[in-house]
Amino acid sequence: MKKKKFTKSELTARERKRLREARNAESRGAAPEMTEEEYAEKRRRVHVFAVAAIVAAVMIIAVGITVPCVMAANYMFERNPIAVFTFVSGGEKYKAEYEIYAADCPNAANNFMYLASIGFFDGNIVFDTQNSQVRFGGYYDPTYDDESGEWDYKHRSDDLAFVDGIKERDFAPAHYSDPDDPDVFKYTVKKDEAAFTTANIPLALCANVSGSSASATEFQFCCDPTADAVTLMPGTGTSSVRTLNLEVFAAPLHEEKARETFEYILGLGQYTADDGSPQYARKYFRAPEQTVIVESVRIYNYDALWLDSKYEYGFESYMLELGAFTTSQPGQQWSRSYI
């Protein structure tokens, strides 16, 4: 396109100077200097972009604050605390909401709510699905040993970074002073007096109040009232069965939604050996072959007195005052026996 030529009378001195500078810049391959109108337009666009970015950031923050508040508000009229479980498997999320009988089952309820409040369950796995039961607790990171042909799990008590983060606040040093055994999660909890059963509470959430050192951190959903919920058959090389002592302390808030979640989990195939025989982990556990992760367990509407006291006195002090541990003698409620 042929450039327009301007006569001297058509342009002012300033305009002729700017035109020369623009042509010189163009010949050097540089960007021409912007006019005042172009510069003003650029500033307007930058301003609009900055405002839009600020609005987007505020919206993201607002959603992050609003969603938990809305969820809490949804449960504020419930008489009991509510536990919201989020499971992840096969790239999909599954949820279950449970009403916790905190007043009727204070030992089991407070132990469970404490563990949930410190993120003890987050990122752990469903480690056993025998007899239509879905069991979860402190186990994570399933690994397979090619030499032994067995599966094993790590336990939260082995995660020293996690343990160190809470032991100074919630547990007496006497219970983890042994350098060979620094674990603070090997304790047992007394059974409550309440007598809820899996026969009258569908999909009941149960605490394990057995004598094993890890029992207080193991829980299960009893998904079939006709199935054996308390017997764990042993794997190869172990002769004795393991019998659980369970306590029902929570029921589904929305039964159908919870049932969909557990039907999916129980529908996953379990680990088997090459010959098709059952394959166990940690002697007694049979987990889904497709890993089911407990992404999070969140507690809503739980007792403010317990929440305040656990920060003031620590979880251990609160449970000792409640008489929840299997013995009230200091130093004896942490067992050294393993599964």
Side-chain angles (χ1 to χ4, degrees), residues 84-104:
V84 179
F85 297 82
T86 302
F87 302 93
V88 177
S89 181
E92 300 291 334
K93 292 189 177 184
Y94 303 86
K95 294 205 172 194
E97 298 166 293
Y98 269 72
E99 179 182 5
I100 301 173
Y101 302 139
D104 300 295

Side-chain angles (χ1 to χ4, degrees), residues 70-280:
V70 169
M71 291 186 68
N74 288 339
Y75 306 124
M76 66 184 297
F77 298 110
E78 298 292 338
R79 182 177 68 88
N80 287 315
I82 303 298
V84 179
F85 297 82
T86 302
F87 302 93
V88 177
S89 181
E92 300 291 334
K93 292 189 177 184
Y94 303 86
K95 294 205 172 194
E97 298 166 293
Y98 269 72
E99 179 182 5
I100 301 173
Y101 302 139
D104 300 295
C105 309
N107 297 347
N110 284 307
N111 178 56
F112 173 78
M113 291 192 294
Y114 166 72
L115 294 172
S117 74
I118 62 172
F120 181 84
F121 302 116
D122 299 354
N124 291 349
I125 62 169
V126 170
F127 62 82
D128 188 61
T129 55
Q130 294 181 64
N131 304 331
S132 296
Q133 317 302 315
V134 174
R135 307 185 67 226
F136 68 99
Y139 298 105
Y140 69 102
D141 190 22
T143 56
Y144 183 74
D145 188 332
D146 290 325
E147 292 186 5
S148 65
E150 296 179 352
W151 286 91
D152 199 3
Y153 308 129
K154 292 181 182 177
H155 192 273
R156 276 293 193 193
S157 60
D158 302 321
D159 184 348
L160 296 183
F162 181 83
V163 172
D164 289 342
I166 60 95
K167 69 182 182 181
E168 296 293 341
R169 186 188 73 193
D170 295 337
F171 293 88
H175 296 140
Y176 53 86
S177 59
D178 183 351
D180 296 325
D181 190 9
D183 185 17
V184 300
F185 290 117
K186 293 197 293 290
Y187 59 91
T188 55
V189 175
K190 286 182 179 178
K191 190 176 180 66
D192 291 292
E193 295 181 2
F196 300 111
T197 68
T198 58
N200 53 34
I201 297 182
L203 305 176
L205 173 58
C206 304
N208 184 3
V209 291
S210 304
S212 166
S213 61
S215 64
T217 65
E218 295 178 4
F219 302 85
Q220 74 184 56
F221 299 98
C222 295
C223 302
D224 183 353
T226 66
D228 183 353
V230 300
T231 303
L232 298 182
M233 299 304 296
T236 303
T238 303
S239 59
S240 59
V241 300
R242 182 183 174 199
T243 302
L244 307 177
N245 187 7
L246 301 179
E247 176 185 344
V248 176
F249 72 99
L253 193 62
H254 304 291
E255 183 181 336
E256 290 306 314
K257 182 66 176 177
R259 191 172 298 281
E260 290 177 6
T261 294
F262 299 129
E263 284 181 351
Y264 167 78
I265 294 174
L266 293 173
L268 299 171
Q270 293 179 318
Y271 285 118
T272 56
D274 293 337
D275 60 3
S277 61
Q279 194 167 48
Y280 292 80

